[in-house]
Amino acid sequence: MKTFQLKAKILAQTKIKGNCWHCELNAPQVARSSLPGQFINIRVGDNLDPFLRRPISIHSVSGTKASILYEVVGKATEILTQKKKGDFLDVIGPLGSGFNYPKPKTQNPKPILVAGGMGVAPLIFLAGKLTEVESKKSKVKTLVLIGAKSKEHLLCVQEFKKLGCAVKIATDDGSAGFKGKVSDLLKYLLSTIDYRLSTIYACGPKPMLKAVADISNERQISAQLSLEEHMSCGIGACLGCVVKTKDGLKRACKEGPVFLAKDLVW
Amino acid sequence: MKTNLSVELGKLKLNNPVMVASGTFGYAEEFRDFMDLKKLGAIVTKTITLKPRKGNPSPRTCETTGGMLNSIGLENPGLENFIKDKLPFLKKLSIPIIISVASEEEPEEFLELVSRLNKIAEVAAIELNISCPNVQGKDGLIAQDPESTYRIVQEVRKITDKTLITKLSPNVTSIGKVAKSAEEAGSDAVSLINTLSGMSIDVQRRKPKIASGVAGLSGPAIRPVAVRMVWEVFKKVKIPIIGMGGIMDADSALEFIIVGASAVSVGTANFINPKTSLEILSGLKEYLIRNKITEIKELIGSLKV
């Protein structure tokens, strides 16, 4: 699959809530070939500070547009928020290997999506593809578990619902839904349902992914985890983002960022 | 106006002086979507060791002001897997392919690596990476000692007629002395600089940002050091110099050429803009035209002092 480097025009830049922003880009080649779980590598400035690009997962695509959902975590993302509609961003993408999901007309394996914090970003894209499969199939609904610090930090709840997903919520402080970690909610739900044939797709902070991996491995449920690693080149050249797997070191930017839980070594 | 950008590294002829530095360009295939690889002066591969090598623990890289630190630790598939899986793509490019090699424990490994590569026609040159700061042999880096450098280059010289390039370390008191040793031992060219030894600390955790602690600094932050070292080496040796260290654009490449580099290697910039090297090539042509210079060779070591 081909990767592109292009100047993408910003079509919209919106603050969603708190530190979270949504940015829509005109990036035809990227939009046309992106798959859920893949990312783009963005150069946020023209000078040397910040020096490296920033990898951000693709949130959604539509026609010639690709959008990202990002959190301000440092200087680079702060600069990104200052870019306005009409500005251009130097973008490389789509990059990496995304989620492996059932294609239409194949058997639906009862997907369970688990998102922690910003982990919702790539899972919306995936949910869109999964619900396409479901519309042609049975009544099985994509189940989405969303975790956040508190009610105010919850993201994309309505978006998942609009796609027809069944949404369950977990908050650390109990201000909405289940009180506790989203991985604990997952554990609880698995004790109440027949999870054979289920596939878990998860994205979020590392401790959450580790917990999801343990839960799924214990029950022998297939789980695909999207890892967030520090990257330098994003195109597989520098070997800076490698993660440990049972089959040796793998590049998060090339063989990942999505890995099977059963293959990872923590 | 017609310009001639060709340069020579010993008996090796390059169509132009713009190369890509070892470890920053993978095995070239990673860059095929972004540029016409055939336009490069030469490609230097990621360093190959005799056996496959896992490299250092993560995190392996971090951003710094005007640059980055890395401690990959020469992760590579090993010589035989390289020849089987990576070399076929490089061969098809029909531009000079320079294989970077390193020893892990014993300097003698260089001899095995070179004797094997010597038999492959498409290998245009061999770069001896005796200066990787992230893989310390039992006696430190070969490139930190003029005598060890002399010894290894001389032994390798005996077993190959291919163009030999010795990659030098900036982590020395006198890089000129080491360059001189490489020249006297029969190296056809020297390339410099490898990364500068550095550290960066996460003050909250009071831990180094790179798992292995000390790492190699690259990027424009080190360019003035690199330019000075090329100038120093240029005054000391007659063999060609491949200059590198924070080259980001045509002007920074020209700095190296003017102080004496016959060719330049683009390194860390490949991570930021994968087609930097070809943009530099266009920039060099424009510079020649603007200054009514027909041969880029006229610029090599043309510093006015």
Side-chain angles (χ1 to χ4, degrees), chain B residues 61 64 113 131 137 153-154 220 256 292 297 303:
Chain B
T61 66
T64 60
L113 285 155
S131 51
V153 175
Q154 190 198 33
F256 284 89
K292 301 192 174 61
K297 281 183 221 166
L303 184 72

Side-chain angles (χ1 to χ4, degrees), chain B residues 127-278:
Chain B
E127 181 171 83
L128 304 175
N129 180 3
I130 54 169
S131 51
C132 175
N134 302 320
V135 179
Q136 300 275 350
K138 52 183 193 291
D139 305 315
L141 302 179
I142 297 170
Q144 282 173 328
D145 177 27
E147 278 164 37
S148 308
T149 302
Y150 183 88
R151 215 174 307 131
I152 195 67
V153 175
Q154 190 198 33
E155 284 189 38
V156 170
R157 180 75 288 169
K158 283 182 201 156
I159 60 165
T160 185
D161 288 327
K162 286 196 191 286
T163 300
L164 267 187
I165 301 162
T166 307
K167 183 141 182 192
L168 304 181
S169 171
N171 306 306
V172 292
T173 318
S174 170
I175 197 166
K177 270 189 194 164
V178 190
K180 191 76 193 158
S181 288
E183 180 181 47
E184 285 170 355
S187 193
D188 296 295
V190 283
S191 54
L192 58 140
I193 58 175
N194 208 319
T195 53
L196 273 162
S197 220
M199 271 182 108
S200 187
I201 310 299
D202 176 338
V203 295
Q204 291 310 318
R205 295 163 59 238
R206 286 196 236 165
K207 282 189 163 186
K209 287 186 185 167
I210 305 271
S212 53
V214 176
L217 181 65
S218 65
I222 69 165
R223 193 194 309 139
V225 178
V227 171
R228 184 267 295 175
M229 288 190 159
V230 168
W231 173 235
E232 225 171 276
V233 169
F234 180 69
K235 289 186 288 184
K236 199 99 179 183
V237 302
K238 293 192 172 60
I239 51 174
I241 300 165
I242 303 161
M244 72 200 77
I247 294 177
M248 300 300 288
D249 49 26
D251 275 7
S252 45
L254 282 160
E255 285 193 67
F256 284 89
I257 295 171
I258 291 167
V259 296
S262 294
V264 290
S265 268
V266 179
T268 307
N270 296 317
F271 298 160
I272 295 155
N273 175 11
K275 48 178 184 276
T276 305
S277 47
L278 294 190

Side-chain angles (χ1 to χ4, degrees), chain B residues 88-127:
Chain B
F89 176 82
L90 290 161
K91 279 180 178 177
K92 278 187 273 175
L93 297 174
S94 56
I95 57 166
I97 300 303
I98 301 171
I99 314 296
S100 170
V101 294
S103 61
E104 292 180 274
E105 300 289 332
E106 301 299 329
E108 287 68 35
E109 291 161 21
F110 274 110
L111 299 175
E112 263 188 86
L113 285 155
V114 173
S115 67
R116 180 79 172 90
L117 291 170
N118 193 43
K119 295 179 192 126
I120 302 171
E122 291 87 350
V123 172
I126 297 166
E127 181 171 83

Side-chain angles (χ1 to χ4, degrees), chain A residues 144-166:
Chain A
V144 183
L145 314 186
I146 306 176
K149 272 183 236 161
S150 69
K151 193 178 175 183
E152 293 74 51
H153 292 91
L154 283 165
L155 291 164
C156 297
V157 177
Q158 290 312 314
E159 285 85 344
F160 280 111
K161 282 184 179 165
K162 263 183 225 158
L163 288 169
C165 304

Side-chain angles (χ1 to χ4, degrees), chain A residues 15 20 26 42 74 80 84 86 93 119 134 152 175 199 209 213 235:
Chain A
K15 191 174 186 169
C20 295
N26 180 44
I42 303 174
L80 189 53
K84 293 187 177 61
E134 283 160 17
E152 293 74 51
S175 52
T199 298
L209 292 178
I235 57 174

Side-chain angles (χ1 to χ4, degrees), chain A residues 3 5 52-54 232 239, chain B residues 33 60-61 63 272 275:
Chain A
T3 310
Q5 182 181 12
L52 299 169
R53 286 173 184 265
R54 292 296 186 270
S232 286
L239 311 184
Chain B
D33 284 349
R60 290 174 162 185
T61 66
E63 196 174 59
I272 295 155
K275 48 178 184 276

